[in-house]
Amino acid sequence: MLHLRLIVPAGLTDRVVSTLERTVGTTHLVVVPGAARDPAGDLVLCDVAREAGDGLIAELRDLGLDENGSIAADDIGLSLSRHADQAEEEAPGEGADAVLWEQLADATHEESTLSVTYLAFLTLATMIAACGVVLDNAILIVGAMAVGPEFGPLAGLCTAVVRRSARLALRSAVALLAGFAAAMLLTTGFSLLMNALGLFHKSMLEADRPNTSFIFNPDLFSLVVAVLAGVAGMLSLTSAKSGALVGVAISVTTVPAAANAAVALGYGDLNQVSGSSGQLLINLGGIVVAGTLTLLVQKALWAGGRGRPAPESR
């Protein structure tokens, strides 16, 4: 269930309440006249089944409530109510399959912004991975994968394509490309510093590395894993199963590939630079294509079944 908190201009309250009352899957409707001060208006509260939430939010936006008032939605962790149970039963479809497009767009907007925090996490993850590839330490590689925040802009690109949002696509692409470029440049400097301190050596990079050699030797399995991870990642976002994102993060070699390329660049090993860059591009491309197709399938199934199609970005 979702809990909606609406601030409604007084002249629009009757239309909003009417929309809520005729939407299958809504319950616990509360109207508090004149309670809102900024913006001024009536406070309207209700609960709605997740599978009916996207269509209802779209209707409220059609009424202009997002421009003249406010629409806020929160997931309800626990709801003990016969009315809530009945609302979920009456709502078409399954809540686990429903996609809240506005929520997805808002989440990917935040995660796909080129911020200092994003750059810090990506750089630190790449430096940890650099230590992992030089030491041939799988534990460090897995740790670096888990720290890396790159799935945010990847998901943003997928969402931008489906919603036809050029602004989100540009923001995500900048975060992804500029982020990796900065992280790799700083990691190259980090590896040279570690070399000067005697902690890294070119022979360590060129030695047999049974645990990490796959990073600069891309093959068909690299694409297969990237595609599977892209599907799993988008499903975890749209179904609010965020815990699955950790598994997605440690199943692809984006950050380790960027780290290996950065270290190899510092030592002038162009073969490993090329192989690692290929691995990076395969993973990024596979995730974006698979994630986009996953969203398109979800959009088609939900719209063709019981839901309402995703609105274009405004």
Side-chain angles (χ1 to χ4, degrees):
M1 295 288 289
L2 297 172
H3 178 67
L4 295 185
R5 186 186 73 251
L6 312 175
I7 296 179
V8 187
L12 195 61
T13 300
D14 289 342
R15 295 177 64 188
V16 168
V17 171
S18 176
T19 299
L20 297 176
E21 289 179 332
R22 64 179 169 79
T23 298
V24 177
T26 60
T27 187
H28 303 152
L29 177 60
V30 177
V31 180
V32 186
R37 292 292 181 267
D38 184 20
D42 302 330
L43 176 64
V44 179
L45 309 172
C46 77
D47 295 339
V48 58
R50 183 180 176 86
E51 51 268 41
D54 187 65
L56 176 56
I57 291 174
E59 289 192 58
L60 294 174
R61 292 193 67 183
D62 289 341
L63 293 175
L65 191 56
D66 57 324
E67 298 289 340
N68 302 313
S70 170
I71 304 173
D74 295 306
D75 286 303
I76 299 176
L78 175 64
S79 180
L80 303 177
S81 166
R82 179 178 60 81
H83 294 282
D85 294 339
Q86 183 178 352
E88 289 186 315
E89 291 177 2
E90 293 175 349
E94 294 293 332
D97 297 330
V99 180
L100 296 176
W101 294 98
E102 297 297 341
Q103 185 182 64
L104 178 62
D106 185 68
T108 53
H109 176 279
E110 180 179 351
E111 296 296 327
S112 62
T113 301
L114 185 63
S115 63
V116 174
T117 301
Y118 169 82
L119 285 174
F121 272 114
L122 187 58
T123 301
L124 291 170
T126 308
M127 290 179 176
I128 293 172
C131 296
V133 297
V134 171
L135 298 174
D136 194 34
N137 189 313
I139 295 177
L140 291 176
I141 295 297
V142 172
M145 291 175 175
V147 172
E150 74 278 8
F151 192 81
L154 288 171
L157 279 175
C158 299
T159 305
V161 172
V162 176
R163 290 174 59 87
R164 289 169 288 182
S165 173
R167 183 178 302 176
L168 178 58
L170 178 61
R171 181 186 298 110
S172 301
V174 168
L176 197 64
L177 298 177
F180 268 111
M184 292 172 70
L185 180 62
L186 291 172
T187 301
T188 298
F190 169 74
S191 65
L192 293 176
L193 174 62
M194 295 291 280
N195 181 80
L197 296 174
L199 298 176
F200 282 8
H201 193 272
K202 186 176 182 180
S203 61
M204 300 169 71
L205 183 72
E206 296 179 343
D208 291 335
R209 290 187 281 149
N211 293 322
T212 58
S213 61
F214 69 93
I215 293 173
F216 55 92
N217 290 307
D219 54 20
L220 185 58
F221 279 107
S222 301
L223 179 60
V224 170
V225 172
V227 168
L228 295 176
V231 173
M234 293 313 303
L235 286 176
S236 70
L237 284 180
T238 57
S239 63
K241 305 280 185 188
S242 58
L245 281 177
V246 177
V248 172
I250 61 177
S251 63
V252 292
T253 55
T254 48
V255 166
N260 198 85
V263 176
L265 181 63
Y267 286 123
D269 190 335
L270 298 184
N271 288 330
Q272 288 201 37
V273 172
S274 176
S276 301
S277 299
Q279 181 77 271
L280 177 61
L281 293 176
I282 287 173
N283 277 271
L284 294 178
I287 291 174
V288 171
V289 171
T292 301
L293 291 176
T294 299
L295 287 179
L296 288 173
V297 169
Q298 288 181 292
K299 176 182 177 180
L301 289 177
W302 191 252
R306 301 179 179 84
R308 174 173 176 164
E312 293 185 21
S313 180
R314 297 186 180 183

